[in-house]
Amino acid sequence: MRTPRGTGEETGRPSLSTATRGRVLFGGDYNPEQWPEEAWHEDVRLMKEAGVNSVTVGVFSWARLEPRPGAREFGWLDRVMDLMHEHGVGVVLATPTSSPPPWMGRLHPETLPRDEDGRIEWWGSRQHFSHSSAVYRRCAAAITEDLAARYASHPALIMWHINNEYCTVDYGDEAADAFRRWLRDRYGTVEALNTAWGTAFWGQGYDDWNEVIPPRHAHYMKNPTHALDFKRFTSDMLLECYTTERDIVRRHSPGTPVTTNFMPMWVGQDAWRWAGEEDVVSVDLYPDPRDPLGAQHGALIQDMTRSQAAGGSWMLMEQAAGAVNWRGVNHPKPRGLNRLWSLQAVARGADAVCYFQWRQSRQGAEKFHSGMIGHAGERGRTFQEIKQIGAELASLAPHVRDAQVKADIAVLHDWNSWWAGEHDGRLSAENDCAEVVRAWHRALWEAHLTTAFAHPEHDLSAYRMVVVPQLYLLTDTAVENLLAYARAGGTLVCGFLTGVADEDDRVRPGGMDERLRALFGIRTLHEWWPLDAGEKVACDGFTGTLWSEEIEAEDAAAVEARYRGGELDGRPAVFRRGTARYLSTLPEPAALRALLARAALSAGVRAVLDGLPEGVEAVRRGDLLFLLNHGRAPVTVEVPGNHRDLLGGASVRDSVRLERYGAAVLAP
């Protein structure tokens, strides 16, 4: 598994710093085609007032650029690009390929994706394209080629943005042909595929490649490895679409960085593979303002995105200035929360803080999704807060430039394992891999321990502690990597249902890889005992949730905690052998936090700052200390020594007061 490249300097490729030019990029998606041209001049006036220095243009403009096959109407975009340059606003120019024009679906219905029941997904929304369609790919390449040829040298261009939120799944006939080609490349022969998929079960053996189809709607449960490979294939096909367009724009403007925006912890993309193909790693992030753990969710995605950028800077491509429009109830952000969460992104490594969108739309499906300028206009609270954020980011830019976030703890996550663990025939529908990862990250976040994310095959030697919330599927390479890390003295803390299956989703003998069992001191894993929703299990010193396991230990000395009561009374719950621990249940939040904090302390990892009030987050980026109050009441934070608060210029000695949703950025 190749570690994603970092900032670009070591490869000679452009990076985010190429686009920022010493600034923190600030702006959002700009859709001038939705507005009369006279409104554009008002837009740039307000952009200058708000400190906007970057806009993303053209994301959904294919029908405007190519209203009929082969037509090219670039005049309006020429004027937009020139206007942005005239006013000093850089343009992140998007290829419009996430939303093909209606004529494509009408003239070429084979470009439309089909769901697993064979139903066509029609035009009239977005993402209505088959990633495997030769016609779609040809048309996408053609519009990208002409776009790149026209604007590659435009002085407003600072970055390319390919497509948008890749997520389309296709079960159609053209996708089926592509799937068979992908499988032949992976396995070589039908016999090897039968072995990998375990098709002897239920008599599913294939005799000819033409018998293999996508995992379409079936009478009962589908073959798990068939479904797993289709997820791998879908991620790879979308990645092919991305790299094809990326290579076109690179050829025309080799010094301009290229990105596409991830969705937060999106199950459909192997983001480790994708990140290695981007010059800039970017993400869209929309925590629920009513979620008491919204800030923790933001921190998780920010840590993950920074790690996909190999610890370098990254781009917050989209966030909401206020309410979104796709939850059951869409709440606005309280006063100050937009600023706080924007600063949180910068604290965790972002050098670009952007929004969907610049001006709130008056028509269409997202007319109630907030914009940097809302329906209330420039006098509205939202825009007044945007101006404050823009000014503060401009003042922080010289101080955060080249400053990185250091993390001594790695959280391991792998999309292949996540995909494999989602099959309908799993032991418990209550066990959600993403939620388990969130629970472990939350424990570390609340203990004020800064974390990175890593793939289980990455080099882990730089980390003092590695935690594995859950990795149901582990390759032999990954297992050996974990063993090598622990044998070298690294502190390893591993959660339940890890190392159960190999890369073909074949259960390993004994129900868990024997090398991992030996590492943790497990003689026999007799039974998995998943818990019902809300069910709990008593353990020595804490309460477990979600899961439990009937395990026999190699040595009683390796047992750190046992189950108390019920079927597993007296059985080991937590194992510790040397610097390695195994948790066969999910401790309640406070207990998991305490356990991981103790493990971190023994590994020589300390909290960013001790004695923080509840709800206060502390993050160090370079020499800067970010203090973020996620609580609804003012607090005072003790910070020994003398500092200067870059958000106001005030001198700080020994303590700083943070208002509700307040923040301070302290420089020594």
Side-chain angles (χ1 to χ4, degrees):
M1 178 72 191
R2 181 166 57 87
T3 303
R5 45 101 228 123
T7 59
E9 284 76 2
E10 72 276 18
T11 64
R13 282 162 48 178
S15 65
L16 183 55
S17 63
T18 308
T20 61
R21 300 166 189 169
R23 307 165 296 178
V24 173
L25 291 186
F26 181 61
D29 280 35
Y30 181 42
N31 302 292
E33 64 270 29
Q34 296 180 14
W35 302 91
E37 195 159 338
E38 55 267 24
W40 303 354
H41 296 274
E42 178 69 0
D43 284 330
V44 292
R45 179 185 71 82
L46 294 172
M47 287 175 189
K48 295 292 287 182
E49 188 175 328
V52 166
N53 55 34
S54 165
V55 291
T56 300
V57 174
V59 176
F60 300 116
S61 63
W62 197 346
R64 181 73 182 270
L65 294 170
E66 188 177 7
R68 63 199 64 84
R72 293 292 184 266
E73 295 191 2
F74 288 129
W76 68 274
L77 187 53
D78 290 346
R79 295 191 294 278
V80 170
M81 296 289 287
D82 291 345
L83 184 65
M84 293 301 112
H85 176 60
E86 179 185 344
H87 290 271
V89 179
V91 174
V92 179
L93 187 56
T95 64
T97 51
S98 68
S99 189
W103 59 256
M104 188 181 296
R106 180 177 67 86
L107 297 176
H108 304 285
E110 69 274 21
T111 65
L112 298 170
R114 292 179 180 263
D115 68 15
E116 61 180 324
D117 289 313
R119 295 174 298 191
I120 295 173
E121 295 181 357
W122 298 93
W123 63 89
S125 181
R126 64 181 197 180
Q127 267 86 27
H128 49 282
F129 64 89
S130 167
H131 48 61
S132 301
S133 165
V135 172
Y136 166 76
R137 289 194 177 199
R138 185 171 64 249
C139 292
I143 190 67
T144 299
E145 185 79 41
D146 291 350
L147 199 70
R150 191 174 188 93
Y151 299 108
S153 300
H154 197 286
L157 179 69
I158 60 172
M159 193 186 308
W160 288 103
H161 172 20
I162 305 298
N163 201 280
N164 183 71
E165 295 183 337
Y166 279 101
C167 61
T168 308
V169 181
D170 181 25
Y171 295 80
D173 290 341
E174 211 163 350
D177 288 338
F179 186 39
R180 285 187 281 269
R181 291 193 297 271
W182 185 92
L183 291 169
R184 281 196 295 269
D185 288 342
R186 183 175 178 86
Y187 295 110
T189 66
V190 173
E191 291 74 22
L193 177 138
N194 281 321
T195 299
W197 285 12
T199 57
F201 184 80
W202 282 351
Q204 297 172 351
Y206 297 97
D207 186 56
D208 188 279
W209 285 111
N210 290 321
E211 297 168 4
V212 181
I213 60 174
R216 293 168 176 158
H217 182 80
H219 183 73
Y220 190 41
M221 292 182 187
K222 301 170 187 176
N223 182 306
T225 314
H226 185 179
L228 171 60
D229 271 346
F230 189 70
K231 290 183 173 72
R232 290 166 169 157
F233 156 78
T234 298
S235 178
D236 284 356
M237 288 302 100
L238 291 171
L239 184 57
E240 280 188 9
C241 292
Y242 164 75
T243 56
T244 297
E245 294 182 35
R246 178 206 64 190
D247 291 348
I248 291 170
V249 301
R250 262 191 193 163
R251 175 163 41 82
H252 285 276
S253 53
T256 304
V258 186
T259 189
T260 189
N261 47 338
F262 291 158
M263 289 181 285
M265 209 170 176
W266 169 242
V267 71
Q269 290 170 296
D270 183 348
W272 292 119
R273 287 201 63 201
W274 280 68
E277 301 291 345
E278 293 185 287
D279 298 325
V280 176
V281 179
S282 62
V283 73
D284 301 346
L285 180 55
Y286 294 100
D288 187 343
R290 283 291 185 97
D291 182 358
L293 294 176
Q296 183 260 320
H297 174 66
L300 184 156
I301 301 305
Q302 292 155 15
D303 288 344
M304 181 173 285
T305 308
R306 185 184 70 251
S307 303
Q308 289 159 355
S313 58
W314 54 277
M315 181 176 191
L316 178 55
M317 176 73 79
E318 292 183 21
Q319 63 173 331
V324 297
N325 72 315
W326 38 264
R327 294 190 175 100
V329 178
N330 295 291
H331 299 282
K333 288 182 175 177
R335 189 180 299 274
L337 191 60
N338 181 15
R339 171 181 180 259
L340 181 67
W341 284 357
S342 296
L343 290 170
Q344 183 191 42
V346 176
R348 293 183 177 271
D351 278 351
V353 175
C354 302
Y355 293 82
F356 182 84
Q357 55 187 327
W358 163 248
R359 186 183 287 276
Q360 192 169 12
S361 300
R362 294 183 60 196
Q363 291 182 292
E366 293 182 317
K367 58 182 176 289
F368 293 116
H369 189 297
S370 60
M372 299 170 76
I373 301 177
H375 292 312
E378 63 180 294
R379 294 183 180 179
R381 172 170 67 86
T382 297
F383 184 67
Q384 296 306 311
E385 290 186 334
I386 286 293
K387 290 197 296 182
Q388 179 187 5
I389 296 167
E392 290 181 336
L393 293 181
S395 69
L396 287 177
H399 303 277
V400 299
R401 185 188 310 153
D402 301 324
Q404 296 193 355
V405 179
K406 185 176 184 300
D408 291 320
I409 300 174
V411 180
L412 301 193
H413 179 65
D414 175 34
W415 269 260
N416 285 265
S417 178
W418 187 5
W419 292 333
E422 279 200 325
H423 187 252
D424 289 342
R426 63 191 183 275
L427 287 161
S428 171
E430 297 297 320
N431 177 49
D432 182 322
C433 173
E435 289 303 317
V436 173
V437 171
R438 288 187 183 99
W440 282 60
H441 182 273
R442 173 190 174 185
L444 295 163
W445 182 75
E446 290 181 342
H448 309 295
L449 297 166
T450 306
T451 63
F453 277 79
H455 186 279
E457 294 181 10
H458 284 173
D459 180 2
L460 305 174
S461 60
Y463 300 105
R464 292 177 178 270
M465 184 165 93
V466 169
V467 302
V468 184
Q470 185 172 110
L471 286 172
Y472 160 82
L473 180 154
L474 280 175
T475 64
D476 286 339
T477 301
V479 171
E480 290 296 338
N481 197 37
L482 294 182
L483 295 176
Y485 174 78
R487 288 168 182 160
T491 296
L492 178 67
V493 187
C494 185
F496 63 86
L497 209 65
T498 289
V500 172
D502 66 14
E503 65 180 319
D504 293 326
D505 196 9
R506 182 185 294 107
V507 174
R508 293 185 180 273
M512 181 183 186
D513 187 274
E514 62 180 349
R515 293 162 291 183
L516 292 179
R517 295 202 308 270
L519 175 66
F520 297 119
I522 297 172
R523 175 176 295 159
T524 308
L525 197 165
H526 291 285
E527 294 285 352
W528 295 290
W529 286 78
L531 304 178
D532 289 326
E535 186 180 2
K536 297 179 181 179
V537 59
C539 304
D540 290 331
F542 67 91
T543 300
T545 67
L546 191 63
W547 198 266
S548 58
E549 293 176 343
E550 183 179 346
I551 296 178
E552 184 178 344
E554 288 277 5
D555 181 353
V559 179
E560 201 169 65
R562 296 181 182 273
Y563 293 106
R564 297 303 175 192
E567 292 286 344
L568 302 184
D569 185 46
R571 290 283 186 178
V574 179
F575 294 77
R576 180 181 179 184
R577 175 172 278 187
T579 59
R581 276 189 180 85
Y582 179 78
L583 282 62
S584 65
T585 186
L586 179 65
E588 288 188 305
L592 183 59
R593 180 173 67 247
L595 187 153
L596 293 179
R598 289 196 302 272
L601 191 60
S602 69
V605 184
R606 299 191 61 86
V608 175
L609 202 63
D610 293 324
L612 287 170
E614 184 177 356
V616 174
E617 176 181 9
V619 187
R620 288 196 183 277
R621 180 173 178 181
D623 293 332
L624 303 182
L625 175 62
F626 286 74
L627 297 174
L628 310 168
N629 180 18
H630 298 290
R632 289 179 168 269
V635 295
T636 298
V637 180
E638 294 182 5
V639 282
N642 296 322
H643 309 268
R644 181 167 60 93
D645 184 2
L646 300 179
L647 296 181
S651 296
V652 172
R653 180 170 182 175
D654 295 333
S655 67
V656 61
R657 179 179 171 84
L658 302 178
E659 299 300 326
R660 160 187 146 153
Y661 299 143
V665 181
L666 304 185

